[in-house]
Amino acid sequence: MEDLIGRTFGGYELKEHVGAGGVASIYKGFDERLSRWVAIKVVPIQVAGGLNEETMLARFRLEAQAIAALRHRNILTIYGYGEEEGWAYIVMEYVPGGSLADRIKSGEPFTWEQALTIIIPVSQALAFAHDHNIIHRDIKPANILMPQDDWPLLADFGLAKMEHSARPNLTMPGQVLGTMAYAAPEQIQEGEIDARIDIYSVAIVLYELLAGRLPFEGETSFDFLMARLTDPPLPILPANPKVPAAFGPILDKALAQDPNDRYQSMVDFSQDLIEVRYQLSRSAYQDNAHEPTSVMGTQELKQTKAVLKLTANGQQLPTSNQEVLVVGRAHKSSVPDIDLAPHGGTKAGVSRRHSRLLREDNKWYVEDLDSTNGTFVNGTKIEPHKKVAINKGDVLRFGQIELEFGLEN
């Protein structure tokens, strides 16, 4: 494709080529008006795949409009669309943190906590897109951007359709494995597709994070792709015996060859992942918990202290033994008891006074303080100013930041 560095589209000067996919190229550009960096995806306007120019442009515009309508915390923001001098382009949020693909190393699995910190928000974003009748069609680590360790952003919605790629080129292993390694069987067979292809692709990404490898093998790229049409995926436990057994049936179902045997909605898949995280977290705390002895008095029991750990990296946050702990981010002289500003709280959408934790009769509760982006307990958003009981192992989310709740005497 022609080098466009130095060209200007819609007032954005293209400064650096940062990626490519199919017929599209991605450039880093600068917005002079707002003094910010943006990403600009550029596609040549041309007759392709038997489609006339107007048809291709109409589809490109419709896709851009649909993606722009998807306002979700885990979906990349689109700023604008335009057509100039034989090119169509989409202006998007620029994310400097790289993609999930940059963080994956063969043979080096993520912990299950790290994997779910990424995959659960991705699944929730896709459930939102599916609810708006949009299928991603190209889920892979390179399309999951990572502004922070615990903040994935989905990118490149609908690009496979926009690019009008008829079929994968099986004679080019690098290209095939880069674009089709996460494809569902019905995509490879060019059959009818629906939202269940995204479920399959997300499951392959989850498998790769947990196992440090993909679930299929093949001596050539063709064998690798065809294996999913004839063979079941390698079970997760033989691939990595350290993975909790609870992931076995979930991945088996999500990676079923027949779409009718898979989860029938991304919501169901996501809820099962949330449930397994909840159960595993509670189990871990129960294994490490020490029951109070009979000589421990009621007054001592009431001094049970809240413990909060970042699910992204396991870091424990400092907490005091107060009855009420305000969670938020520092602003000027106002500092909450649990300050999430040093952990990316501003970018993660944490309000200055986001929530509070309360201890009453040796029981702990969380209450949302009318935060902008909500407070969640095990994936469920709670109502503002309504106390909700929490237990050891519960996962609390404030904006984009997830904390695991625990107790110590």
Side-chain angles (χ1 to χ4, degrees):
M1 179 181 283
E2 178 184 345
D3 186 357
L4 299 174
I5 293 178
R7 293 277 298 272
T8 298
F9 291 101
Y12 304 95
E13 183 180 354
L14 308 190
K15 299 285 191 179
E16 179 185 350
H17 185 263
V18 295
V23 299
S25 287
I26 304 174
Y27 290 85
K28 182 180 178 181
F30 191 71
D31 183 350
E32 296 283 356
R33 293 160 295 190
L34 296 176
S35 297
R36 64 179 177 184
W37 290 100
V38 297
I40 305 171
K41 178 170 285 293
V42 183
V43 178
I45 299 172
Q46 60 185 13
V47 177
L51 294 171
N52 62 47
E53 179 177 309
E54 196 57 38
T55 301
M56 183 177 181
L57 274 177
R59 291 189 178 183
F60 193 81
R61 292 171 189 144
L62 286 173
E63 290 287 349
Q65 292 168 0
I67 300 164
L70 292 177
R71 299 302 302 272
H72 188 278
R73 59 186 175 274
N74 297 110
I75 294 177
L76 189 71
T77 301
I78 286 182
Y79 298 140
Y81 167 85
E83 299 159 19
E84 291 183 22
E85 301 177 1
W87 300 91
Y89 60 90
I90 297 176
V91 184
M92 304 172 290
E93 174 184 6
Y94 175 70
V95 179
S99 73
L100 181 57
D102 301 322
R103 304 180 180 217
I104 294 176
K105 296 181 181 179
S106 179
E108 298 184 16
F110 286 41
T111 66
W112 66 262
E113 295 95 335
Q114 292 171 328
L116 291 184
T117 295
I118 295 168
I119 295 300
I120 288 176
V122 167
S123 67
Q124 292 172 330
L126 286 167
F128 178 80
H130 294 172
D131 191 48
H132 288 75
N133 301 313
I134 295 177
I135 307 169
H136 192 290
R137 307 177 182 91
D138 194 21
I139 298 295
K140 57 186 178 184
N143 285 341
I144 300 173
L145 306 183
M146 299 295 298
Q148 297 174 185
D149 289 343
D150 59 350
W151 185 10
L153 280 176
L154 273 178
D156 285 354
F157 266 84
L159 288 180
K161 181 179 181 182
M162 283 190 282
E163 292 167 1
H164 309 293
S165 178
R167 62 183 67 214
N169 182 352
L170 299 180
T171 65
M172 300 176 64
Q175 181 180 0
V176 171
L177 294 181
T179 59
M180 296 297 286
Y182 304 86
E186 56 269 34
Q187 284 178 283
I188 297 172
Q189 293 175 308
E190 298 181 344
E192 292 293 324
I193 63 172
D194 56 31
R196 292 173 294 184
I197 65 170
D198 285 347
I199 295 172
Y200 188 96
S201 298
V202 171
I204 288 193
V205 177
L206 174 58
Y207 186 108
E208 184 176 18
L209 295 181
L210 292 173
R213 52 156 294 170
L214 293 167
F216 299 99
E217 297 177 330
E219 294 183 4
T220 67
S221 58
F222 180 85
D223 293 338
F224 174 81
L225 291 177
M226 293 303 107
R228 72 196 66 197
L229 304 181
T230 58
D231 305 321
L234 175 68
I236 188 65
L237 292 182
N240 181 4
K242 294 182 180 180
V243 174
F247 284 99
I250 292 176
L251 285 169
D252 288 346
K253 184 174 183 178
L255 291 173
Q257 290 180 4
D258 186 339
N260 293 321
D261 294 331
R262 288 179 212 150
Y263 289 94
Q264 296 302 292
S265 76
M266 189 66 76
V267 171
D268 291 342
F269 183 30
S270 183
Q271 285 299 321
D272 270 8
L273 294 178
I274 291 170
E275 178 64 23
V276 77
R277 180 174 63 179
Y278 173 68
Q279 295 298 337
L280 290 172
S281 297
R282 286 184 64 84
S283 177
Y285 271 110
Q286 288 169 358
D287 289 344
N288 296 324
H290 299 284
E291 293 296 328
T293 63
S294 58
V295 298
M296 185 178 292
T298 302
Q299 187 63 33
E300 189 173 358
L301 278 175
K302 290 184 179 179
Q303 298 306 308
T304 302
K305 180 181 175 182
V307 176
L308 296 171
K309 293 194 302 182
L310 292 165
T311 60
N313 55 22
Q315 178 184 349
Q316 183 169 320
L317 304 185
T319 57
S320 66
N321 196 26
Q322 298 173 200
E323 299 284 339
V324 179
L325 298 169
V326 175
V327 181
R329 57 180 174 84
H331 179 69
K332 296 182 178 180
S333 60
S334 176
V335 181
D337 303 303
I338 309 296
D339 184 13
L340 297 181
H343 309 285
T346 301
K347 288 186 176 180
V350 176
S351 299
R352 296 170 189 171
R353 286 177 54 84
H354 197 105
S355 303
R356 63 175 182 166
L357 304 179
L358 306 92
R359 183 177 61 197
E360 298 179 356
D361 297 328
N362 207 40
K363 294 181 180 179
W364 281 91
Y365 301 84
V366 63
E367 178 184 357
D368 183 82
L369 301 177
D370 249 339
S371 64
T372 301
N373 294 301
T375 301
F376 298 75
V377 177
N378 299 320
T380 301
K381 187 175 184 179
I382 66 175
E383 297 179 18
H385 303 297
K386 182 178 180 180
K387 293 188 299 183
V388 174
I390 51 177
N391 301 292
K392 290 187 295 185
D394 283 347
V395 175
L396 312 179
R397 191 174 87 225
F398 309 100
Q400 296 297 325
I401 295 181
E402 287 190 338
L403 299 174
E404 189 174 308
F405 178 77
L407 296 171
E408 65 179 29
N409 295 320

